[in-house]
Amino acid sequence: EIVMTQSPATLSVSPGERVTLSCRASQSVSSNLAWYQHKPGQAPRLLIHGASARDPGIPARFSGSGSGADFTFTISSLQSEDFAVYFCQQYNNWPVTFGQGTRLEIK
Amino acid sequence: QVQLVQPGAEVKKPGASVKVSCKTSGYTFTTYAIQWVRQAPGQRLEWMGWINAGNGNTRYSQNFQGRVIITRDTSASTAYMELSGLRSEDTAVYYCARGSISNWPFDFWGQGTLVIVSS
């Protein structure tokens, strides 16, 4: 199965800062890569699919890029409601697999 | 709006089975698949299987083959995941999500059901 590796595990940031997260696949997943936001006690929320397409209603400050095995997720200016765990998912091959997540903490 | 509603928590003894429901609304149930994913404490999300809500076809992860059964009730727009032979390592939050059986992400998720396996 494809192993997804995210970095960093935790990031301490201040509101207004630009944040860039990384997700690497153990083999190519083409552009079949999604990013999700997960807050405690809530349902995960799909932000990006197809590596770079924002889901409807997702603010423009969230963006994704990459293809093949290396992907990047960016929040251009961090808002207070953005502090959460972000995880990537490849859906190119079964079983679908997930990264271990990156936790954004308030600095 | 699309919603997937799960019960909050279940406590089971080792060796028992648990059946978690996922009640959907806001879309045509039979036109999507329902995926099941779990997250054990400190672990990443792990895919368990899916059901095509239209025709009832299923596919399971090798890691759960023989222990998991996913079903659906189209009249209730509800999917179910039953996991048998529970052990302490099955303690986790179990999520259902709307998806597809082909290359597509999981666009709506339930809030998760905490299953605690303890004697």
Side-chain angles (χ1 to χ4, degrees):
Chain A
E1 76 179 38
I2 296 174
V3 178
M4 307 300 292
T5 303
Q6 289 186 243
S7 60
T10 305
L11 198 54
S12 296
V13 291
S14 300
E17 282 188 28
R18 180 184 180 88
V19 168
T20 299
L21 311 181
S22 173
C23 176
R24 178 166 290 178
S26 59
Q27 65 187 73
S28 175
V29 298
S30 185
S31 294
N32 294 314
L33 189 287
W35 290 93
Y36 299 85
Q37 178 191 69
H38 194 193
K39 297 180 180 179
Q42 295 188 17
R45 177 190 182 194
L46 175 65
L47 303 176
I48 302 285
H49 62 88
S52 60
R54 271 189 302 277
D55 214 45
I58 301 303
R61 65 180 182 274
F62 297 102
S63 64
S65 64
S67 66
D70 284 301
F71 301 88
T72 298
F73 173 79
T74 300
I75 307 174
S76 60
S77 177
L78 205 63
Q79 306 298 300
S80 57
E81 61 267 28
D82 300 337
F83 290 95
V85 173
Y86 293 83
F87 60 90
C88 60
Q89 175 207 30
Q90 69 78 19
Y91 50 92
N92 193 62
N93 291 66
W94 293 102
V96 299
T97 49
F98 299 86
Q100 77 275 29
T102 292
R103 181 181 305 277
L104 293 187
E105 296 182 335
I106 301 175
K107 196 177 213 179
Chain B
Q1 70 282 21
V2 175
Q3 287 189 307
L4 289 81
V5 178
Q6 301 180 238
E10 301 260 8
V11 180
K12 296 292 180 180
K13 294 196 181 302
S17 297
V18 66
K19 189 171 184 177
V20 180
S21 62
C22 175
K23 183 167 178 56
T24 73
S25 60
Y27 73 98
T28 302
F29 179 68
T30 52
T31 58
Y32 289 86
I34 294 292
Q35 308 276 352
W36 287 90
V37 177
R38 78 175 186 182
Q39 187 167 34
Q43 304 298 311
R44 68 183 64 199
L45 288 157
E46 179 180 23
W47 175 74
M48 300 179 69
W50 55 248
I51 186 165
N52 180 328
N55 60 19
N57 287 350
T58 55
R59 182 171 183 171
Y60 302 119
S61 165
Q62 297 265 34
N63 294 340
F64 299 95
Q65 205 79 30
R67 283 212 300 147
V68 68
I69 299 174
I70 300 173
T71 57
R72 96 285 194 221
D73 178 348
T74 57
S75 66
S77 298
T78 299
Y80 303 90
M81 185 283 300
E82 183 170 18
L83 186 63
S84 59
L86 290 171
R87 36 209 189 226
S88 59
E89 312 89 89
D90 294 316
T91 294
V93 179
Y94 290 76
Y95 295 95
C96 63
R98 191 181 81 164
S100 168
I101 63 173
S102 57
N103 301 60
W104 200 249
F106 303 170
D107 57 359
F108 290 94
W109 295 60
Q111 288 187 293
T113 297
L114 173 60
V115 175
I116 297 171
V117 182
S118 174
S119 54

